[in-house]
Amino acid sequence: MVQDTRLIEIKDVCKSFGDTEVLHHINLYIRKCEFVTLLGPSGCGKTTLLRLLGGFETPTSGQILFDGADVAQVPPYKRRINTVFQKYALFSHLNVYDNIAFGLNLKNPEALGAKSRSEKKEEIRRRVERMLKLVKMEGFEKRSVDSLSGGQQQRIAIARALVNEPEVLLLDEPLGALDLKLRKEMQVELKSMQQQLGITFVYVTHDQEEALTMSDNVAVMNHGRILQIGEPKKIYDEPKSAFVADFIGESNIIPGVMLEDDLVEMLGVKFPCVDEGFGENEPVDVVVRPEDVMIVGTDVGMLTGTVESVIFKGVHYEMMIDIGPMRWKVHSTTMQPAGSRVGLTVVPYNIHIMRKEA
Amino acid sequence: MIRKSRGAARVLKGSYLALVLAFLYLPILVMFALSFNESVSRASWTGFTLDWYVQLFHDQNIINALKVTLEVAVIATAASVVIGTLGAIGMYCMKQGWFNLMAVLSNIPMTMPDMVTGVSLMLMFVFVKVPLGKATMIMAHIAFDIPYVLLSVLPRLQMMNPNIYEAALDLGCKPRQALTKAIVPEIAPGIVTGGLLAFTMSLDDFVISYFTSNTDQNLAMIVYSAARLGVKPTMYALSALMFVCILALLLIVNRRSGLEIL
């Protein structure tokens, strides 16, 4: 699906508002038909980066290449990019049909392959109907947008953007205002729309699960920098820093010391691991996922601890286990009662070593 | 015992309300009644007549004043709607500090006594050597109408989704198109309300018009100068008609803003 040609290239882009730098030397490329997610906590600069792509802001320095041409100074109405805004930004003075037709009405008849005004009108009607079908909102043409629910407004906002056949669709936390169930449904629908239409999607969210579910590639951001770019599985399995590990899924982060290649010491115990290339006795952060900790008998565990609390989470139990200097979060399908003594062990390839963040 | 005092309280409450309403509306009712009285005397009711209303529309002075009033109100409303709406959009785009400053500056003229506005405008026109007349009256009306337009357009802008302008650009509008095709239609209800308010204010203004005009008189000025020579029943009829018109306009404004709250 994802093609190899680079559609958008962001080269060394910085953006400041007054004295505050919100984007710091951003480098990123986006390929044709790719679903890229910018993921990070609020205030990390992800929305600003999206607004640069949309043309609503201009970079302080650096280049934004679209098909090889620098578009940093090109206004939004000249870009082949459309946006789905955070709170939809539908036009409340227009009904559903006219909202979707808004962009097409601005175009010349020739641009729509029509020879006359009446042909243009007919073509617009055809395209709007097709979009309404795509977002499953047929029959809502004459409704006022204010009478729609949040989920329905969301669909109209997506249709209004997609009907212009953009090469790139930008989505700014589009599912943020929906309830959990609707959000999950829309995630699946958005992904299938993207694959069906073959359009590049750039998606902004702070929800790591959303990012992992839908994306071909995820860029994790914090403090105006991209910390890691990669496929969801790769980012989850091989986070490059403690921040990424913690933000993508849950983690136990333990200070440790790298004794030699493939051997780390933490909590006074030597753990074999699979990481190499660190300095001898280099202090590191060790990341262990809660689901990677195995509960075993106290006699065979590498560590021992006391179960402090147990929460039933549906598929698994989440246990907080007190192991002296700190507490670990452990996920397991079998429950250990609170107060019991347990042994804990972690296999080498589930131990992730991170360089200390500056 | 308790029931009795409750009853007393209710009577007291009712009569108080009746007193307030009577104080406000009885004079107007009396004026309406007298405008239909056959006798010139205010003391005796001799029979029902519409003569005063007929006379009113045969009085060339009054017809002229009506023309001046409408001309001034229509032009001033149109101009203040354009200036006020653009001003409101400009203020909306300002940073918080400047916005607050502008909001205060544009509110002061509304609370200022008409006398002050009238005299200062007159002085300014004299100072820059613009002869007083219909044109200066229109300019003065535009000046005091603008804050009313601002006041009804700004809340609509603040209620609007902050991304509307950008959404219009995104869908292919040039900046000016985004203004006319997206922003203005979105805030149109506020613009109409502002226009109605401005029109009402222009229609019944006396003090500011008196200071900024010369021989061109509007209806309020006619009523005032007639009163000095002894009030004739035609003036009751004229005042009654003005009251009805302004009441109608205010009812429309109230209904509109009521709808927006819903």
Side-chain angles (χ1 to χ4, degrees), chain A residues 51 54 56 76-77 79 81-83 85-94 99 102-103 106 160-161 164, chain B residues 156 161-175 177-178 180-187:
Chain A
R51 290 170 60 79
F56 307 117
Y77 50 90
R79 297 191 184 198
I81 294 178
N82 285 109
T83 310
F85 291 92
Q86 204 164 12
K87 297 222 172 69
Y88 324 135
L90 295 174
F91 303 119
S92 56
H93 66 282
L94 299 175
N99 259 283
F102 190 91
L106 292 165
R160 183 180 70 172
N164 302 293
Chain B
R156 285 298 304 192
N161 183 303
N163 288 328
I164 285 289
Y165 176 70
E166 289 177 348
L169 292 184
D170 189 74
L171 294 167
C173 281
K174 296 188 176 71
Q177 283 178 312
T180 56
K181 285 180 190 283
I183 304 272
V184 170
E186 286 288 311
I187 60 173

Side-chain angles (χ1 to χ4, degrees), chain B residues 69-82:
Chain B
T69 306
L70 287 179
E71 191 186 338
V72 170
V74 167
I75 297 175
T77 302
S80 60
V81 160
V82 173

